[in-house]
């Protein structure tokens, strides 16, 4: 809140206003405002299907935690790759009119993606979708023994993570209690770091892999990845992170934190499009570990001798040695367009704006609706998402009001609304409009 008050003072406006002067001043001074023009923003009519005087007005899109908006560059690059395919066919793998030969396309992606994750390009790979990559990483790093066979995840992990880990345990014919769940305290929804550390301390000798979410999908809590990684590794555990809601959202230092592996999707904050290609990280201490058993394929073979077709597998160095198949160009093209947008800002700069946006939203909701809304996202460990709990009789009214007004957000039954102002394309005016509609909808239920 101090940050918001300082910004209001700097712009000679008051936070406590109803006319939106604070939002206008913040948007006018926003050093990242030009990035909004990099995206295709739907209109109210397009997202609601309702014709009216507001139908041509741009919608308020606060759902980048579920699916990011389309970068204009992605549309252009995808079109260029389609044209290249039409004009060159297979020749496009080696000779490309835009200087992006398909055979080395992955290098374009990993070189641009690595800085976002605090990694070197050799530590970054791109393939498949998220849950497939989780299975592939666990195939390489989950080596259960009779005494160390547990996998630790949070109790309300995204279902796909839960299913993936559960099925890995079943695959190894291990008992159900090999799935270890970190539970929040009674009456709480966020997990305390101290409780996670206590669990690791108590059961670490039995834990093979710790695999939590970098950002918890339901609460929006950002976990202390550095501290948890260090504590788990001190007990002999392998540490992997599901970064689905962290990628493109919060600054990451995977190499310096000594993380063993991580996986993420790219269609949320990274804006690669529905079902977009996934990324993964393998620390470079495994870069030349040819003895590490993994599931392999042709594309993981050393690129210098790959086309000799020897059937004697020699892995590529680093994360590339885990890439089973060649890069799917059309989905990589849309990711490339988004990465070019990210290159125009730093993750730290994006996070600074993100915290201002969510703090402003929290301020407005606490001011006008605190008796009806419980914000469950911790104020001291959050990214771009605020998760709101409402009474069941208020929930449907508020969510319908938001969506019908073209304020696009996300619901989780029975009573959670997730709102994510994304710093790349959202504005303070977006946040103000969202809060105003929630206020009005709640007033209608009295």
């Amino acid at each position: 809140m101090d940050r918001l008050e300082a910004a209001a003072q700097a712009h000679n406006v008051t936070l406590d206003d109803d006319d939106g002067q604070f939002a206008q001043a913040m948007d006018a001074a926003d050093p990242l405002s030009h990035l909004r023009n990099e995206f295709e923003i739907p209109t109210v009519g397009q997202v609601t299907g309702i014709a009216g005087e507001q139908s041509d007005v741009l919608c308020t899109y606060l759902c980048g935690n579920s699916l990011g908006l389309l970068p204009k560059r992605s549309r252009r690059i995808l079109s260029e790759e389609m044209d290249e395919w039409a004009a060159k066919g297979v020749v496009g793998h080696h000779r490309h009119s835009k200087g992006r030969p398909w055979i080395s396309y992955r290098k374009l992606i990993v070189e641009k993606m690595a800085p976002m994750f605090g990694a070197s390009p050799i530590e970054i790979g791109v393939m498949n979708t998220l849950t497939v990559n989780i299975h592939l990483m666990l195939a390489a790093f989950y080596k259960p023994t009779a005494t160390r066979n547990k996998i630790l995840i949070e109790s309300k992990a995204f279902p796909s993570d839960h299913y993936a880990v559960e099925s890995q345990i079943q695959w190894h014919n291990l008992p159900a209690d090999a799935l270890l769940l970190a539970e929040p305290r009674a009456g709480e929804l966020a997990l305390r770091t101290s409780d996670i550390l206590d669990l690791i301390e108590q059961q670490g000798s039995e834990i093979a892999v710790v695999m939590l979410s970098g950002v918890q999908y339901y609460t929006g809590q950002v976990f202390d990845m550095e501290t948890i990684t260090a504590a788990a590794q001190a007990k002999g555990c392998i540490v992997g992170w599901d970064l689905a809601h962290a990628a493109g959202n919060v600054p990451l230092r995977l190499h310096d934190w000594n993380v063993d592996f991580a996986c993420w999707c790219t269609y949320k904050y990274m804006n690669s499009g529905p079902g977009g290609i996934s990324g993964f990280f393998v620390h470079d201490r495994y870069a030349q570990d040819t003895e590490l058993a993994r599931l392999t394929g042709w594309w993981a073979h050393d690129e210098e001798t790959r086309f000799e077709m020897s059937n004697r597998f020699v892995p590529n160095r680093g994360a590339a040695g885990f890439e089973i198949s060649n890069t799917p160009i059309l989905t990589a093209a849309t990711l490339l367009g988004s990465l070019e947008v990210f290159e125009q800002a730093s993750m730290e700069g994006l996070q600074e704006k993100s915290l201002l946006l969510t703090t402003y939203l929290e301020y407005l909701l606490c001011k006008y609706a605190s008796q009806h809304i419980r914000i469950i996202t911790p104020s001291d460990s959050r990214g771009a998402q605020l998760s709101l709990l409402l009474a069941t009789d208020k929930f449907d009214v508020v969510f319908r009001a938001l969506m019908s007004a073209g304020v696009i957000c996300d619901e989780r039954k029975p009573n959670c609304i997730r709102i994510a102002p994304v710093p790349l394309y959202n504005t303070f005016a977006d946040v103000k409009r969202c809060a105003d509609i929630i206020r009005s909808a709640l007033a209608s239920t009295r």
Side-chain angles (χ1 to χ4, degrees):
M1 193 58 66
D2 290 345
R3 187 183 286 108
L4 273 186
E5 291 172 347
Q9 186 175 27
H11 298 301
N12 198 29
V13 292
T14 177
L15 252 180
D16 194 20
D17 68 353
D18 284 331
D19 59 7
Q21 287 188 15
F22 174 78
Q24 293 172 20
M26 292 296 288
D27 287 334
D30 178 14
L32 302 176
S33 62
H34 63 287
L35 296 178
R36 179 176 169 89
N37 295 324
E38 293 277 354
F39 292 87
E40 301 279 3
I41 301 175
T43 65
V44 171
Q46 287 173 326
V47 295
T48 65
I50 301 172
E53 61 181 29
Q54 294 293 309
S55 61
D56 291 332
V57 175
L58 295 181
C59 80
T60 302
Y61 194 85
L62 299 170
C63 208
N65 59 330
S66 186
L67 178 66
L69 290 177
L70 168 64
K72 296 174 182 177
R73 293 168 185 256
S74 295
R75 183 193 292 275
R76 173 182 56 79
I77 293 173
L78 177 59
S79 179
E80 290 171 354
E81 300 306 346
M82 296 288 281
D83 290 342
E84 199 73 9
W85 179 19
K88 299 275 182 62
V90 71
V91 174
H93 281 94
H94 300 277
R95 185 161 54 83
H96 193 288
S97 62
K98 301 294 183 180
R100 299 190 297 261
W102 299 330
I103 198 166
S104 57
Y105 216 87
R106 68 166 305 278
K107 293 181 180 179
L108 293 175
I109 301 295
V110 302
E111 286 172 3
K112 293 178 183 296
M113 196 152 51
M116 298 174 63
F117 293 86
S120 62
I122 197 174
E123 297 173 306
I124 300 293
V126 57
M127 63 177 177
N128 305 316
T129 50
L130 174 56
T131 307
V132 175
N133 285 345
I134 287 174
H135 276 298
L136 291 172
M137 292 297 104
L138 288 175
F141 289 99
Y142 179 45
K143 309 293 187 184
T145 67
T147 57
R148 187 189 286 273
N149 55 40
K150 293 183 178 181
I151 301 180
L152 173 63
I153 63 174
E154 70 265 33
S155 62
K156 202 174 177 62
F158 192 78
S160 194
D161 283 18
H162 191 108
Y163 303 153
V165 169
E166 192 172 50
S167 65
Q168 286 278 334
I169 289 167
Q170 293 167 351
W171 182 261
H172 286 278
N173 296 312
L174 293 166
D177 63 6
L179 176 59
L180 181 61
L181 301 177
E183 301 270 4
R185 296 186 184 185
E188 299 181 359
L189 290 170
L191 278 162
R192 300 190 187 191
T193 300
S194 60
D195 290 347
I196 297 172
L197 298 180
D198 286 346
L199 184 58
I200 291 170
E201 178 62 30
Q202 293 160 12
Q203 299 198 45
S205 63
E206 301 173 40
I207 298 172
V209 176
V210 172
M211 199 191 81
L212 301 170
S213 304
V215 176
Q216 218 286 327
Y217 89 98
Y218 183 77
T219 65
Q221 176 186 7
V222 179
F223 288 117
D224 186 343
M225 289 173 261
E226 181 177 14
T227 299
I228 293 169
T229 298
Q233 289 176 339
K235 300 294 287 188
C237 310
I238 291 288
V239 181
W241 291 94
D242 175 352
L243 302 178
H245 286 264
N249 180 10
V250 296
L252 298 163
R253 299 286 181 270
L254 298 184
H255 177 87
D256 291 347
W257 296 341
N258 207 39
V259 169
D260 292 289
F261 72 89
C263 305
W264 55 90
C265 56
T266 62
Y267 56 80
K268 300 180 188 297
Y269 297 102
M270 291 183 68
N271 316 300
S272 70
I277 195 169
S278 172
F280 68 97
F281 166 92
V282 176
H283 199 280
D284 71 2
R285 67 178 173 278
Y286 301 106
Q288 299 187 70
D289 186 354
T290 59
E291 301 304 312
L292 179 64
R294 67 193 81 175
L295 296 178
T296 61
W298 185 48
W299 215 248
H301 187 93
D302 175 30
E303 64 180 15
E304 298 298 325
T305 59
R306 181 186 294 147
F307 283 89
E308 293 178 5
M309 308 296 194
S310 67
N311 286 343
R312 291 188 299 274
F313 181 71
V314 178
N316 264 314
R317 290 183 65 248
F322 293 79
E323 291 183 357
I324 288 177
S325 299
N326 62 321
T327 309
I329 299 303
L330 301 185
T331 52
T334 57
L335 174 57
L336 180 59
S338 181
L339 292 173
E340 288 186 357
V341 178
F342 273 101
E343 285 184 317
Q344 300 179 55
S346 68
M347 288 306 303
E348 289 72 21
L350 290 169
Q351 184 187 44
E352 182 178 352
K353 179 181 175 181
S354 178
L355 290 173
L356 285 169
L357 288 167
T358 54
T359 303
Y360 184 44
L361 178 59
E362 181 179 28
Y363 166 78
L364 293 173
L365 294 176
C366 289
K367 178 181 178 182
Y368 296 124
S370 59
Q371 67 272 37
H372 300 295
I373 290 175
R374 176 187 173 193
I375 298 173
I376 62 173
T377 310
S379 59
D380 60 349
S381 53
R382 68 168 54 144
Q385 175 181 312
L386 281 192
S387 297
L388 320 178
L389 295 187
L390 294 88
T392 305
D393 62 326
K394 311 284 187 186
F395 169 76
D396 286 331
V397 173
V398 171
F399 188 70
R400 281 198 305 268
L402 288 165
M403 296 295 283
S404 63
V407 179
I408 307 304
C409 50
D410 179 83
E411 65 173 338
R412 285 292 182 268
K413 299 287 188 180
N415 65 336
C416 180
I417 297 176
R418 304 185 307 165
I419 299 173
V422 174
L424 282 175
Y425 49 74
N426 281 125
T427 65
F428 290 86
D430 287 340
V431 168
K432 179 68 165 60
R433 181 163 186 262
C434 174
D436 285 347
I437 291 170
I438 292 175
R439 178 186 183 187
S440 176
L442 287 171
S444 73
T445 65
R446 293 172 186 163

